[in-house]
Amino acid sequence: MPNTVFSTEILPDGNACRYDPPRDPCIIVILGASGDLTSRKIIPSLYQLFLLGLLPRDCAVLGCARSKLDTAEFCSRLKQGVLEAGADMSRWDDFSDKLYYHELVYEEKFSYGGLAETMEQISRTHQTGKNSLYYLAIPPFLFETVITLLGQTGLARETEGCWRRIIIEKPFGSDLESAVRLDGILGNFFHEQQIYRIDHYLAKETVQNILAFRFANSILEPLWNRKYIESVDICALETLGVEHRAGYYEKAGVLRDMFQNHMLQLLSLVAMEPPTQFLSENVRSRKAKLFQALRPINTESINDHIVLGQYTEGALEGHLVQGYRREPGVDMQSLTPTFACMKVFIDNKRWQGVPFYLTSGKRMGEKQTKITVQFKGVSRSVFRNGMMSSDSNNRLTFLIQPREKISISFRAKNPGPVMCLRPIDLEFCYDSDREGKIDAYEKVLIDCLKGDQMLSLRQDSEELCWAFLTPLIEDCEQCIRTESILHFYPAGSSGPVEADKIRLNK
Ligand code: BG6
């Protein structure tokens, strides 16, 4: 089916902004295919790409898991997930012709021999050649085993000009040491160009727009520094609770779940230096440099830099919801934080002294992810004596979700006889129409199929983020300290009031 939406967009000045969809034939191998991620995200996204004509013509999807299933049962399970995602089912049968299932015992080497044979058969049927993309949708405790066995059975080897890529999603380790070990194991069999450490946040439209906004507009760069910016707020608030993920979340908590990846990635986009060119290695190097400049948070002053919280029972959207400790699978005495607010400084020339406030929490009063850049006030203002309020200094906001919007607030004169100023907003909104947009998982998948690593995390950045957070997490996890910085907040609220205090002392 021709791809009408993405192929070529002609800009007014005659330059072509071309998008070439991935064309290389390949097999997408999903390890962990009986799990939730596969039916909720991966398959609906692949199907959507298929509908848009963005999947290579010669491609097939092979799901692997322990469960005893045949391909027909597997397809009918997946169909359910796609239906629930509200997709247009008119071409499902064509898509499902590309779907296969293989029973895999993750820990048994011989089972990977069977996998290789199945891949060859599929390759003959669909002319997919030897290119393969492995998506690790398995629980993290299996990462090392599966990577090693893929490697030992030759399934990672790029021979005869083919490519072999691997997608690995967080949690990428649980601290610096485990992340370094995982990188070591990956590095035994895959080289860095084959590894896609993905973060779906980076593929959100407004998140991608941060770099465009910063580096394609000359009005911003002169102001984008400590001289004009007072502070930056990055927040990702959710109304959802821990859902059915207590097993993972109890060990992770909000710092590993949201900060080590999404929050620090957002920070890097706001704060990094301009890359010499918009190419993945240039951008990834700038990010790594930024992470190197994060000022370590001294454990002596931890209370001035971080506030942790945990939700208790409360009212949310008109319903009473239970507290974290009452969620299924959660320890009744749990000290796992579901909220954190952290003040971070960047020790470089551009940002010295500017606080970045990173806030994320579950079961908050509203779902909202946004970045607010607060500019400084007008010095020795012309407009004094109550003509304007001091809390209406210019502000740039990137609203990432639920709506996607970028706005800048200015001061302007109120209509009427007096010179009285009020804030006004200039706004840019994406069309609510889906035309031309693809969602975060779809973007991540086509980038991997194309071999574009722009949105995946490079090893050095992954480890630098862990190096920044690990001492903090370890400190917070010492019970006594945790109790002194863990504050409880009712579900449906805006988090613990203590979070405001870290804004007071710079
Ligand atoms: C995931 C976290 O990475 O991101 C979840 O593990 C969180 O705990 C989710 O709910 C939030 O993603 P989004 O795209 O809904 O903001």
Side-chain angles (χ1 to χ4, degrees):
M1 187 181 159
N3 154 37
T4 48
V5 181
F6 298 92
S7 50
T8 310
E9 187 186 335
I10 308 294
L11 297 181
D13 66 1
N15 287 322
C17 215
R18 266 188 78 81
Y19 181 73
D20 291 319
R23 292 209 167 84
D24 293 352
C26 69
I27 304 189
I28 301 165
V29 182
I30 305 171
L31 297 121
S34 57
D36 192 47
L37 183 64
T38 304
S39 54
R40 238 175 7 94
K41 292 283 184 196
I42 306 174
I43 293 294
S45 300
L46 287 172
Y47 178 55
Q48 191 59 35
L49 291 174
F50 172 76
L51 289 177
L52 290 167
L54 292 177
L55 276 192
R57 193 194 59 201
D58 299 318
C59 111
V61 180
L62 172 59
C64 303
R66 248 190 260 273
S67 313
K68 290 197 187 313
L69 287 177
D70 59 25
T71 291
E73 287 168 309
F74 179 59
C75 287
S76 90
R77 279 192 186 189
L78 296 180
K79 187 173 181 183
Q80 195 50 37
V82 175
L83 269 170
E84 279 165 22
D88 158 13
M89 299 306 284
S90 59
R91 301 199 62 223
W92 173 257
D93 290 345
D94 297 336
F95 177 74
S96 67
D97 285 347
K98 294 174 177 292
L99 293 179
Y100 294 85
Y101 183 78
H102 177 86
E103 198 183 313
L104 183 74
V105 186
Y106 296 118
E107 301 85 353
E108 305 276 2
K109 195 168 175 182
F110 75 83
S111 196
Y112 290 73
L115 170 61
E117 275 170 31
T118 308
M119 286 170 69
E120 283 201 8
Q121 280 164 21
I122 295 174
S123 169
R124 281 195 292 276
T125 313
H126 292 270
Q127 284 83 48
T128 54
K130 283 194 177 306
N131 296 332
S132 29
L133 176 63
Y134 302 104
Y135 197 130
L136 297 194
I138 43 177
F141 74 89
L142 284 170
F143 284 172
E144 297 189 6
T145 309
V146 170
I147 294 164
T148 304
L149 291 175
L150 284 174
Q152 287 178 350
T153 47
L155 288 170
R157 210 172 304 129
E158 297 186 321
T159 50
E160 304 159 39
C162 76
W163 52 254
R164 297 262 158 100
R165 298 178 188 140
I166 185 162
I167 298 183
I168 184 160
E169 214 170 337
K170 67 146 232 274
F172 193 91
S174 54
D175 55 15
L176 179 60
E177 195 188 332
S178 53
V180 170
R181 192 177 58 238
L182 185 53
D183 273 324
I185 291 180
L186 273 167
N188 289 336
F189 306 104
F190 293 87
H191 52 78
E192 189 60 28
Q193 286 70 30
Q194 294 176 272
I195 305 169
Y196 290 72
R197 298 175 190 81
I198 61 166
D199 180 333
H200 78 281
Y201 257 63
L202 293 176
K204 293 180 191 269
E205 278 293 350
T206 310
V207 174
Q208 292 182 71
N209 219 340
I210 297 171
L211 293 189
F213 220 70
R214 283 190 57 197
F215 300 136
N217 296 298
S218 59
I219 58 168
L220 288 182
E221 178 61 16
L223 308 179
W224 210 255
N225 56 56
R226 60 194 294 262
K227 189 162 172 211
Y228 294 100
I229 292 180
E230 177 81 40
S231 63
V232 178
D233 258 276
I234 301 177
C235 66
L237 312 178
E238 299 181 78
T239 49
L240 287 181
V242 68
E243 309 295 296
H244 51 276
R245 297 164 72 217
Y248 151 75
Y249 200 87
E250 271 284 85
K251 294 201 197 87
V254 69
L255 294 177
R256 291 187 177 90
D257 186 46
M258 293 293 290
F259 278 66
Q260 191 274 337
N261 35 73
H262 312 323
M263 302 303 281
L264 288 179
Q265 286 300 318
L266 293 179
L267 170 72
S268 73
L269 295 175
V270 177
M272 69 189 231
E273 293 300 313
T276 40
Q277 209 184 333
F278 191 65
L279 295 173
S280 57
E281 278 320 295
N282 295 7
V283 171
R284 296 190 331 154
S285 297
R286 289 301 197 207
K287 281 190 185 177
K289 202 135 197 146
L290 192 274
F291 293 133
Q292 276 165 0
L294 290 176
R295 185 187 301 169
I297 296 177
N298 188 326
T299 51
E300 263 77 74
S301 62
I302 198 162
N303 285 311
D304 296 333
H305 288 82
I306 180 162
V307 169
L308 300 175
Q310 188 189 84
Y311 63 85
T312 54
E313 186 182 83
L316 187 67
E317 291 158 358
H319 299 285
L320 189 68
V321 295
Q322 59 197 354
Y324 179 72
R325 290 178 174 181
R326 296 253 160 180
E327 299 275 20
V330 171
D331 187 320
M332 296 283 278
Q333 308 290 321
S334 174
L335 291 173
T336 299
T338 58
F339 170 98
C341 177
M342 189 187 285
K343 180 162 62 177
V344 173
F345 289 95
I346 298 168
D347 281 334
N348 64 16
K349 206 167 151 199
R350 188 187 287 266
W351 295 116
Q352 193 64 246
V354 178
F356 286 74
Y357 298 104
L358 276 49
T359 310
S360 179
K362 289 199 179 288
R363 282 281 189 239
M364 308 292 284
E366 63 174 339
K367 177 173 174 72
Q368 190 171 68
T369 304
K370 76 173 178 188
I371 299 173
T372 310
V373 179
Q374 180 64 59
F375 289 90
K376 291 187 173 169
V378 190
S379 63
R380 300 190 53 78
S381 178
V382 177
F383 300 104
R384 303 184 193 194
N385 306 327
M387 292 166 89
M388 63 182 197
S389 75
S390 59
D391 61 4
S392 58
N393 293 336
N394 302 131
R395 187 177 290 167
L396 170 62
T397 310
F398 295 91
L399 190 54
I400 294 163
Q401 54 190 22
R403 284 190 65 209
E404 298 183 307
K405 184 170 93 173
I406 301 177
S407 66
I408 303 186
S409 76
F410 289 94
R411 287 191 183 108
K413 183 186 168 300
N414 233 351
V418 258
M419 181 54 101
C420 181
L421 309 188
R422 64 168 179 185
I424 50 147
D425 278 353
L426 287 186
E427 287 187 1
F428 159 72
C429 294
Y430 276 104
D431 259 345
S432 50
D433 193 345
R434 202 195 141 92
E435 176 93 346
K437 282 211 274 176
I438 56 172
D439 97 346
Y441 269 89
E442 292 159 23
K443 167 75 177 148
V444 160
L445 282 161
I446 39 172
D447 278 5
C448 299
L449 290 170
K450 280 190 71 154
D452 181 347
Q453 292 189 301
M454 176 72 80
L455 302 184
S456 66
L457 277 60
R458 206 168 65 183
Q459 176 181 354
D460 51 356
S461 286
E462 184 76 54
E463 291 177 9
L464 284 161
C465 291
W466 273 123
F468 171 70
L469 280 179
T470 301
L472 260 184
I473 294 177
E474 281 172 356
D475 203 54
C476 292
E477 278 175 350
Q478 285 172 27
C479 213
I480 302 162
R481 267 203 189 280
T482 309
E483 278 173 353
S484 74
I485 55 171
L486 184 71
H487 304 277
F488 294 91
Y489 61 98
S493 70
S494 53
V497 285
E498 287 77 3
D500 294 336
K501 293 194 188 137
I502 61 171
R503 291 170 188 272
L504 301 177
N505 32 17
K506 284 209 173 169

